[in-house]
Structures are given as structure tokens and as C-alpha cells.
């Protein structure tokens, strides 16, 4: 439960610091990657809701595979795609825990589609943070179900041909059709305003769980500078100019009681 | 203690509930349907969670989640479903999570059929998923024994933090027998699980994982598993011997076939053939030692199995050439009659 502590000199006021729920471990993400921002937002939300001692994270397989290192909360490592099933088991066994999964688009929307859809449809009372970076980051930039038409990846070197490999999978739109979920929203973190909006969404998704409302999913349209072979600035711009065309931001489902 | 008439599948379910089962997840498949139905009916009434999963893949991962939370958890299936669970079982083993997995075997490979078979022996005892791991594998031959072994499976799995499997077949699952059910366990006697995910309150965070990128550290994790397996081999070998003292031919059979072979031994004795039976109860750890000692003095060790000779490999490893090791098996869900096995026995003893 260590914390980075820097001495604050006399007369200075600390206005910004590391969230308590975030550990000292260094991030393993590439420069410019949105995973880091999203990870911090989750820690801030956990702190603000005072749920650190009840929170259990489910780490995915993907670039966030080391997620368990980054938080001062209990964690379980799930098999690739199985986070929603693991979270189901955890939450059903211990309903007092605040359980969240954190999953990439390969994890959640390809290999784990079935587990995700059915957890959502059952209205499982946990929180899903879904990072849609339109690519498989960890394994070296292969095509994801969310890869944009024409987008080049190492497994569609000529660009994604929708005739051969289909269109970007709109998971949030799909899930929003179901009766089970209470909150499905799509957010982004490419600028300060959107970071604040994403934070609000994450807070809401955790609060829903704490209030026993049911399944909440926050999709975040993110970048992957390394595998897009772009600078962080260019990758950020890609999100705004390209990705959001297919994945428009906003709430897709908000079930008020 | 109550004596009741129960089907194998139901006795397994009831024993699990009495063992303190809190969460059960599964996907329907024949011939273990009664087990799922019993759980759906009984477990919620008795304070547990029953959830029908969308697949066996999901079921085993729900078990993984519940086990990480520290509760007693179980899943059951039959062969094709159990194949789908192999990924999750490997993760349970790697993360050192206790859980009980029931496989009511049927004919294979592929969809096969729903008749009794023992063709999943390799998968169960040699590590059906990836990586260097073992399961504690217990094979009951009667309904009462199934109930006992289920309770034992939970205890052993918790004690060693190794997943345990009940390996049985459709014959036992469907068969009805009087059972004296053991009383429910006192939950205070279930070992503490300080590693469980209960929220990092007043302690550093707990992490449940099989993942370790650094080879030397992953080696350390593997060595812990291997040490545990050696300890289990030391302490938990279980088997039954019938008429082995003066046996001239020893039969080796597990599960329901072990039960049939008991009849064969009795008939053989009536006809003056000194037959005996060694029935492994723990398929892993396999009773290599007891079998080896018998093979020192019995000239013929005949393995009888509902497979093409899977346990037979372990029998030969145990015997190591000390005796002849013929094999008699049936395939595809065909169950041999005692008479057929007896005529096989006669081929191997001097008239
Ligand atoms: C069963 C299985 N199949 C494949 C892999 C290899 N694998 C690891 S991460 C990954 C994709 C990750 O992509 P995504 O979920 O989008 O997350 P990102 O790395 O982009 O954050 C794959 C295919 C695996 N670990 N397990």
C-alpha cells in the first residue's frame, strides 16, 4: 500500500497527487497510450467513492495484463476474454465486493464476446471498462473486431477489407439493445474535457454497482500510437477524426429506476 | 445419518452441498443432467448460488472467480463439456485455486454418445489443459462412495490448493443405490483462505494469478506446484484391494468397471481361479507403489477399462516388466459383462 510521497515545502498547497488506489508501480504502457489515463481515472473513481477496501479488479489479457500491479486493490488475472465470467463468479460469491473488469477490444469483443453478452444480459451487478483501441496492442498490432475499414494492421496489411473480414463490431450498440444492462456509454480521453466526461461515466458505472443497480459498461475509444505507427499526437488525432466516425460518443443506454 | 435411495448424480450434488458448496456453475449435458437439476432445486434453498452458464467455458471461469473469492465452488459436466473447461482448469491450477470439477464421462471422441465410458482418463490425470499441472482425480465405483469422495475432494482441494476432479461415468450417474449421506461439514473446520480476494482492508492487496513474465519467477511458481504434487503423492494415494493375498491373476479396474470386476473376481474364485482386484480410487495420484508390490508376486496383471488402454499405461509404468500386463477394453460406450471379462481372465491363467 505504498504511496509516492514528496515533501510539500512550507507555504505550498498540494493540488494534484497520485490517487491512493494507484500503486507506485510504473505503467508498462507505451508513450501516448490512452490505457494510462483510463487506469488513473479508475483509481480516482475508487478513491472518490471510498471503495478501495471493497474493490476487486479483474485483469484481462492484453496490454493491461499487468493491471494488478497498478492498484492498491485486490486483483484476479482472467484468461483472455473470460473476465466477465470471472467477475460473475466473484460477485455472485461475494456480493459486497465492488467488482470491475478492464478489457481490450480483442479480449471483450472477439474471444470474450459470449461471456460479455451473457453477463450483460443477466444484468450482472459489476462494472466493465472496455478499452476500444481498434487493434490488438499486446500481440503486435493485429486486426481487432473493431478495426476500421481500410485501417492497416499486420494481419490486414492492405487495410481491413470489410468484404473479407466484416465491419467494426459495435459492442456498445449491441449491448444497449438488451434489457439486462443499466448503463452503456461510449467515452474518450483524447482531451481534458473528454477525460472529465469519461471520469464521470466511470464514477456512475461504479456508483450503479454500489447501489445494486446492475450491469454497467463504459467503452472508451482509445489510441495505440505504437501499433498505429503514429506519434502520440497523430494517434490522438486519429481517434477524433477516424475512430469516432464509427464509434460516436455518448450514452447508449441509461436505465433510470 | 439418513439412509436414502439416490441416483449417483443426485448423491454427488447432495454431498457437495453438505461439504459447504456455495457456488455451482454449469451448462447442461447428458448424462449428468440430474446433477444440474438437483443443484438448481436445492442449492439456492440452502444458501448457495446456482447459475446456469452460457457455456462450459463460462462455467469454469465463473468457478475461477468464485474460488478466488474464497468460497467452496464446483462445476460438473460430461466429456465434451469437460473438454471446453480445460483452459479454465489450467488457470485454476496455475493460480492455485481450489475447486471441484465433476466429469460424468460418456463415449467419445467428439460428440460420441451418452453411454458410459472411461476415455477421459488421460485428460483428467495427465493434465488436459496446457502447462505442467495435475489434478487430484478421484474415481468412485458406487453411489455411496461417490458421496464420500465428493466431500473428500473439497477437503483435499482446499488443503493443497489444487483443483480436484470426480471422474465417473454415466452408469454411476444414473444408477440408484441406498446412500448413507455424511452429515454437513462444520464450516468452521474449513481452512482459512488468507489469499482470497475479500477486499484489501487492513492488509496489502491479494492477487490471484497464474501469469508471471519473468522466467525465474515462473519457475519458482512451478516448483511450488511440483512440491505440492509430491506431497499429494506421498499422502493421498487411495485404492482398494479385493482377494489379492493369494492372487495368481490381478485385475486392475477403476470406477464402475472396478465394481463389475469385483463380481468377476467372486465368480472366478468359485471356479477355482485365484483372481484378485486392485481398484485405484485416486487416479492421480495413481497407486503405483501398491500395484508394484503386488506385481512382485502376481505373474499376470490384467487391466480392464472402458477405453483403448489409457489407465493401462499407468499400470505398465507401475509394473515395469515385473509381470505380464494384458489389456481388455471396450469402446464407444459398450460395457463388458462379467462373463466376458471372466473369459478374458481365463485366457491368461493356466487351465
Ligand atoms: C487464448 C488466448 N489466445 C490468444 C492470446 C494472445 N493474445 C494476448 S493479448 C491478445 C489481444 C489483445 O488485444 P486487446 O484485447 O484489444 O487489448 P490491447 O492489447 O489492445 O490492450 C491476444 C490475441 C492469449 N493470451 N490467449
Amino acid at each position: 500500500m505504498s504511496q509516492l510521497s514528496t515533501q510539500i515545502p512550507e507555504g505550498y498547497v498540494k493540488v494534484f497527487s497520485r490517487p491512493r488506489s494507484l500503486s507506485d508501480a510504473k505503467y508498462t504502457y507505451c508513450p501516448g497510450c490512452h490505457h494510462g489515463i483510463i487506469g488513473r481515472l479508475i483509481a480516482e473513481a475508487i478513491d472518490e467513492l471510498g471503495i478501495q477496501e471493497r474493490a476487486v479488479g479483474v485483469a484481462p489479457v492484453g496490454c493491461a495484463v499487468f493491471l494488478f500491479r497498478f492498484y492498491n486493490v485486490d486483483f484476479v488475472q482472467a484468461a483472455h476474454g473470460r473476465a466477465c465470467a470471472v467477475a460473475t463468479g466473484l460477485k455472485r460469491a461475494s456480493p459486497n465486493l465492488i467488482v470491475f473488469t478492464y478489457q481490450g477490444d480483442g479480449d471483450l469483443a472477439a474471444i470474450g464476446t459470449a461471456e460479455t453478452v451473457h453477463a450483460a444480459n443477466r444484468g450482472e451487478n459489476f462494472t466493465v471498462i472496455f478499452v476500444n483501441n481498434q487493434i490488438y496492442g499486446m500481440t503486435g498490432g493485429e486486426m481487432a473486431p473493431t478495426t476500421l475499414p481500410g485501417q492497416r494492421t499486420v494481419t490486414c496489411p492492405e487495410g481491413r477489407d470489410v468484404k473479407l473480414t466484416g465491419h467494426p463490431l459495435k459492442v456498445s450498440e449491441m449491448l444497449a439493445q438488451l434489457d439486462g444492462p443499466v448503463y452503456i456509454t461510449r467515452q474518450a480521453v483524447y482531451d481534458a474535457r473528454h477525460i472529465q466526461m469519461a471520469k464521470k461515466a466511470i464514477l456512475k458505472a461504479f456508483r450503479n454497482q454500489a447501489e445494486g443497480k446492475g450491469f454497467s459498461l463504459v467503452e472508451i475509444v482509445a489510441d495505440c500510437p505504437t501499433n498505429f505507427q503514429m506519434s502520440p499526437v497523430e494517434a490522438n488525432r486519429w481517434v477524433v477524426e477516424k475512430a469516432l466516425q464509427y464509434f460516436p460518443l455518448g450514452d447508449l443506454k441509461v436505465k433510470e429506476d | 445419518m439418513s439412509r436414502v435411495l439416490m441416483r449417483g448424480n443426485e448423491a454427488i450434488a447432495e454431498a457437495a452441498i453438505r461439504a459447504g458448496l456455495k457456488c455451482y456453475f454449469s451448462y447442461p449435458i447428458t448424462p449428468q443432467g440430474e446433477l444440474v437439476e438437483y443443484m438448481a432445486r436445492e442449492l439456492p434453498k440452502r444458501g448457495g448460488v446456482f447459475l446456469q452458464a452460457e457455456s462450459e467455458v463460462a462455467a469454469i471461469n465463473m468457478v475461477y472467480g468464485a474460488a478466488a473469492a474464497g468460497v467452496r465452488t464446483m462445476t460438473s459436466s460430461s466429456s465434451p463439456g469437460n473438454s471446453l473447461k480445460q483452459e479454465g482448469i489450467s488457470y485454476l491450477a496455475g493460480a492455485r485455486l481450489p475447486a471441484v470439477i465433476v466429469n460424468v464421462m460418456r463415449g467419445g471422441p467428439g460428440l460420441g454418445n451418452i453411454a458410459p465410458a472411461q476415455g477421459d482418463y488421460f485428460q483428467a490425470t495427465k493434465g488436459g489443459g496446457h502447462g505442467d499441472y495435475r489434478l487430484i482425480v478421484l474415481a468412485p465405483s458406487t453411489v455411496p462412495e461417490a458421496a464420500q469422495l465428493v466431500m473428500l475432494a473439497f477437503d483435499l482441494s482446499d488443503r493443497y490448493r489444487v483443483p480436484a476432479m470426480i471422474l465417473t461415468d454415466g452408469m454411476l450417474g444414473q444408477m440408484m443405490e441406498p446412500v448413507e449421506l455424511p452429515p454437513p461439514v462444520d464450516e468452521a473446520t474449513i481452512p482459512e483462505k488468507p489469499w482470497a480476494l475479500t477486499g484489501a482492508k487492513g492488509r496489502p492487496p491479494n492477487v490471484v494469478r497464474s501469469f508471471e513474465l519473468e522466467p525465474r519467477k515462473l519457475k519458482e511458481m512451478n516448483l511450488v506446484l511440483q512440491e505440492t504434487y509430491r506431497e499429494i503423492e506421498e499422502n493421498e494415494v487411495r485404492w482398494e484391494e479385493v482377494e489379492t493375498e493369494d492372487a495368481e491373476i490381478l485385475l486392475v479396474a477403476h470406477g464402475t468397471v472396478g465394481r463389475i470386476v469385483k463380481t468377476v473376481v467372486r465368480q472366478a474364485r468359485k471356479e477355482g481361479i485365484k483372481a484378485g482386484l486392485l481398484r485405484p480410487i485416486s487416479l492421480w495420484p495413481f497407486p503405483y507403489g501398491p500395484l508394484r508390490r503386488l506385481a512382485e508376486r502376481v505373474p499376470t496383471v490384467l487391466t480392464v477399462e472402458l477405453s483403448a488402454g489409457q489407465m493401462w499405461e499407468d499400470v505398465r509404468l507401475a509394473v515395469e516388466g515385473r509381470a505380464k500386463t494384458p489389456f481388455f477394453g471396450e469402446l464407444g460406450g459398450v460395457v463388458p459383462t462379467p462373463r466376458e471379462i471372466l473369459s478374458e481372465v481365463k485366457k491368461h491363467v493356466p487351465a
Side-chain angles (χ1 to χ4, degrees), chain A residues 1 52-57 61 65-66 68-69 71-80 82 84-90 92-94 97 111 114-116 118-119 122 124, chain B residues 23 25 49-55 57-59 61-66 68-69 71 87 91 97 196-213:
Chain A
M1 290 256 217
Q52 182 186 348
E53 294 179 337
R54 291 208 279 152
V56 178
V61 181
V65 71
F66 283 116
F68 58 84
R69 284 189 187 169
Y71 294 91
N72 290 316
V73 307
D74 281 2
F75 250 95
V76 55
Q77 174 75 56
H80 192 28
R82 316 295 176 222
C84 280
V86 174
T88 298
L90 258 168
R92 296 270 183 148
S94 298
L97 298 175
I111 195 166
E115 287 78 7
T116 308
H118 286 278
R122 288 189 302 264
E124 294 291 342
Chain B
C23 291
F25 307 98
V49 172
F50 166 85
L51 185 62
Q52 181 173 326
E54 60 270 27
S55 69
V57 175
N61 282 284
M62 290 172 185
V63 163
Y64 181 88
V71 304
E87 174 197 45
Y91 275 72
L97 288 176
L197 307 183
T198 53
K201 187 173 182 179
R203 58 156 171 77
N206 281 342
V207 177
V208 168
R209 64 184 163 116
S210 55
F211 171 63
E212 177 49 68
L213 214 49

Side-chain angles (χ1 to χ4, degrees), chain A residues 134 148 230 237-247:
Chain A
Q134 308 106 60
L148 306 184
M230 291 177 188
R237 196 177 301 131
W238 160 279
V239 169
V240 185
E241 291 173 3
K242 297 277 171 42
L244 295 191
Q245 285 183 27
Y246 289 90
F247 301 110

